[in-house]
Amino acid sequence: MSGVEVKHQYSEVFNGISVRAGDSVDPLHLASVDKVKRVWPCSSSGAPYPYTHKPTGVERAVEELGLSGKGVHIGIVYTGVDYNHPELGACWKTEGCMWQYGEDLVGDDFNPPVGNIETNPGPNPMDCMGHGTHVSGIIAGQGPNVRGVAPNVTLGMYRIFGCPSPSGISGSSDDVMLKAFEMAFNDKSDIISLSLGGDSWPDDPTSVAVANIANKGTVVVAAAGNDGAGGLFTASAPAVAKGVIDVGSVNNWNYTVVDVSISNSVTSNSIMTTLSTSIGS
């Protein structure tokens, strides 16, 4: 066919061909060719930005409103960051680097849950858990594989977790958290990000501290925790503090779990089934 070039042919997992067609070629004409069952456009795939940021409104903020985080300072209090990652600047406190403030408060061996309460800070807040690097990518990943919500922000990282124990146990302590909160506030963070917490109440010292920070005009965003399935009063401190943006993940479905017991003369098994019903508006 004139104006059509076959690029690829497929037969193992897909029965079809890929073609390059000029602007003069009508896709409807291609679809009418003998033995052609269906025609699709050739979509491109890359960073997850176009899809993942669409339902949250981030795409509109970036593409339509031109908001990229430029001029905003975000202080992250967490496990540190792999600042050598190419999509996170591959730099630390150099001119033009996204990472301009923060430090290691604890060192690799600090781990209160297993009795290691002594701090021995390193020169930089390098992440040995991965969580802080993950959070940093959500905030400011610069692509091509991960594009963050605000890729042009200025970041600080305050490392308050050491490396996990051989069995995977890790943790921090209130006193170290309080020190990090104060440092992030004193370093003029516009937003302080806290993907951490524990079971407690608004009168917990960490909750009181971030409530005071929020009252002074700094935005504090904290994780609600991972225990929502336990019911009421399972949100973490300091996310429960007054004035703090408490963030958790939810699904737009009602789930009814039915425990069905099936028995015969040999075995007795319990099967868990899930019935879903959409929440209407």
Side-chain angles (χ1 to χ4, degrees), residues 85-102:
H85 196 294
E87 296 187 16
L88 291 174
C91 58
W92 179 253
K93 293 185 179 180
T94 56
E95 184 176 356
C97 179
M98 66 164 61
W99 299 100
Q100 288 296 323
Y101 61 108

Side-chain angles (χ1 to χ4, degrees), residues 141-162:
Q142 297 182 328
N145 294 309
V146 175
R147 187 171 179 184
V149 172
N152 292 330
V153 295
T154 299
L155 293 174
M157 174 61 75
Y158 302 86
R159 183 191 183 200
I160 63 167
F161 286 80

Side-chain angles (χ1 to χ4, degrees), residues 13 21 41 55 57-58 89 91 99 106 133 143 151-153 183 188 197 226 230 258 267:
V13 297
V58 171
C91 58
W99 299 100
V106 294
T133 302
N152 292 330
V153 295
M183 292 175 68
K188 310 299 183 185
N226 302 318
V258 182
T267 61

Side-chain angles (χ1 to χ4, degrees), residues 63-244:
E63 301 296 337
E64 296 182 28
L65 304 180
L67 302 176
S68 67
K70 186 174 182 179
V72 177
H73 289 65
I74 301 179
I76 305 169
V77 179
Y78 205 21
T79 68
V81 60
D82 181 3
Y83 47 80
N84 292 322
H85 196 294
E87 296 187 16
L88 291 174
C91 58
W92 179 253
K93 293 185 179 180
T94 56
E95 184 176 356
C97 179
M98 66 164 61
W99 299 100
Q100 288 296 323
Y101 61 108
E103 62 184 76
D104 180 5
L105 279 70
V106 294
D108 289 352
D109 295 332
F110 178 73
N111 198 344
V114 297
N116 297 337
I117 60 173
E118 299 300 324
T119 60
N120 184 25
N124 299 312
M126 177 55 72
D127 188 5
C128 63
M129 292 179 63
H131 291 249
T133 302
H134 169 74
V135 168
S136 301
I138 293 173
I139 295 172
Q142 297 182 328
N145 294 309
V146 175
R147 187 171 179 184
V149 172
N152 292 330
V153 295
T154 299
L155 293 174
M157 174 61 75
Y158 302 86
R159 183 191 183 200
I160 63 167
F161 286 80
C163 297
S165 70
S167 59
I169 298 174
S170 62
S172 190
S173 60
D174 287 353
D175 55 346
V176 172
M177 291 185 204
L178 291 171
K179 182 178 180 180
F181 299 165
E182 284 203 337
M183 292 175 68
F185 176 74
N186 290 333
D187 286 338
K188 310 299 183 185
S189 296
D190 300 301
I191 301 169
I192 298 177
S193 171
L194 311 172
S195 186
L196 52 87
D199 297 335
S200 199
W201 300 88
D203 60 354
D204 174 88
T206 62
S207 297
V208 172
V210 296
N212 290 334
I213 291 173
N215 190 50
K216 293 177 183 292
T218 299
V219 176
V220 180
V221 183
N226 302 318
D227 302 313
L232 297 174
F233 308 115
T234 55
S236 296
V240 294
K242 184 177 180 180
V244 170

